[in-house]
Amino acid sequence: LLDYNMPHLRFHDALAAVNESRPDLPVILVSGSVVEEKGLELLQRGLWDFVSKEQMLRLPLAVERSLQETNTRALLRDAEQQARISALAFETSDAIVIADAQGVIQRVNPAFCETTGYKDDEVVGRRLSMLESNRHDQVFYESLWKSLNDMGRWQGEVWRTHKNGDAYLVWQTITGVKDETGKITHFVSVARDITARKAAEEQIAQLAFYDPLTKLPNRRLLIDRLHFALSSCRRTQQGGA
């Protein structure tokens, strides 16, 4: 609350300083010397409200309205910030899918389209099961959904099917989004294609543990399996032969 006639300080300078340092701080002018035309000019300069000293009964209403406007601006600012964060998150190289509680796809990011070969309008409104491959049995998917419903989260390796029919392997994390009652309303899936990495790991293992000519297991594989068996015996306190 500021008066127009303040000693050693021009109201215009005070208003400009507040608007620059605290743009969301309400400024209400209370004056008996400012005419309506001047008040309108100040409103255009960033004043929140103007109350004449002859109408002081308006002051509580002006304060309440300004505080409500402050809260509204704060909520809008937070919403805009969250929207920017979501937009940046969607630009990741990982494939992101947002689905409802029934597994119906609501939104995908560009990386998903690049990974799967589908355009967004080809998958939105369809179920996540459209990406399933025949490399997992029904028990696998039942366990996956049970984990999601019970714990709200699941992660692991999953074989998916590309639009062209090729199978590819992803490391996938699915997280449930809950409402204020604790009920899951949406699922967010983040997946990364690890097909090439997995093939490279298998090739390294092949070179390390198998003879390149005969393809038979070598001494290194024998030692590796022996160490594993000994560790298992020590852990279970059982013997082996």
Side-chain angles (χ1 to χ4, degrees):
L1 298 176
L2 297 176
D3 197 345
Y4 188 77
N5 296 312
M6 295 179 291
H8 311 298
L9 180 64
R10 295 178 64 248
F11 180 82
H12 293 75
D13 296 336
L15 179 61
V18 172
N19 287 336
E20 181 178 356
S21 60
R22 297 283 303 279
D24 290 330
L25 182 65
V27 179
I28 301 175
L29 172 62
V30 180
S31 177
S33 60
V34 175
V35 297
E36 184 176 350
E37 291 76 10
K38 190 65 176 178
L40 291 174
E41 176 191 341
L42 293 172
L43 288 172
Q44 293 175 349
R45 288 175 174 264
L47 183 69
W48 286 57
D49 208 338
F50 165 64
V51 177
S52 171
K53 288 184 178 180
E54 298 176 354
Q55 299 176 326
M56 290 300 290
L57 292 177
R58 282 193 60 249
L59 184 58
L61 180 60
V63 172
E64 182 181 359
R65 185 168 57 221
S66 296
L67 292 176
Q68 290 176 348
E69 177 67 17
T70 300
N71 292 334
T72 300
R73 292 188 182 187
L75 291 173
L76 288 174
R77 185 174 61 251
D78 291 343
E80 291 173 354
Q81 184 178 17
Q82 291 299 321
R84 287 194 296 269
I85 293 173
S86 298
L88 289 175
F90 253 54
E91 294 302 319
T92 180
S93 58
D94 293 336
I96 299 179
V97 182
I98 298 178
D100 64 15
Q102 287 70 46
V104 178
I105 299 174
Q106 306 291 306
R107 186 180 176 189
V108 297
N109 71 336
F112 171 89
C113 298
E114 182 178 350
T115 301
T116 64
Y118 289 100
K119 297 179 181 179
D120 54 357
D121 59 359
E122 293 178 309
V123 296
V124 172
R126 300 180 63 182
R127 299 183 65 86
L128 287 169
S129 56
M130 65 175 291
L131 302 173
E132 294 178 0
S133 71
N134 57 6
R135 301 200 180 194
H136 300 292
D137 56 20
Q138 188 63 28
V139 175
F140 173 85
Y141 290 109
E142 289 177 355
S143 174
L144 186 156
W145 282 103
K146 185 177 187 303
S147 177
L148 284 174
N149 292 322
D150 293 347
M151 303 175 60
R153 181 181 174 85
W154 181 90
Q155 66 176 3
E157 293 182 356
V158 186
W159 284 97
R160 294 299 189 194
T161 302
H162 193 275
K163 182 180 179 180
N164 62 14
D166 293 341
Y168 62 98
L169 185 65
V170 300
W171 178 264
Q172 186 172 14
T173 300
I174 308 176
T175 305
V177 180
K178 299 180 180 180
D179 61 14
E180 61 276 3
T181 66
K183 180 181 179 181
I184 294 179
T185 60
H186 292 80
F187 292 106
V188 178
S189 167
V190 181
R192 175 170 297 181
D193 190 341
I194 60 172
T195 309
R197 190 191 76 187
K198 198 71 174 181
E201 291 175 354
E202 292 177 355
Q203 184 177 10
I204 292 173
Q206 181 72 24
L207 293 174
F209 296 127
Y210 293 86
D211 185 275
L213 294 178
T214 64
K215 308 299 180 182
L216 296 175
N218 59 20
R219 184 185 303 175
R220 184 176 298 174
L221 180 61
L222 174 62
I223 295 174
D224 179 78
R225 294 296 185 269
L226 181 61
H227 282 309
F228 178 81
L230 292 174
S231 297
S232 178
C233 290
R234 284 193 295 267
R235 185 171 59 253
T236 60
Q237 296 184 349
Q238 295 180 354

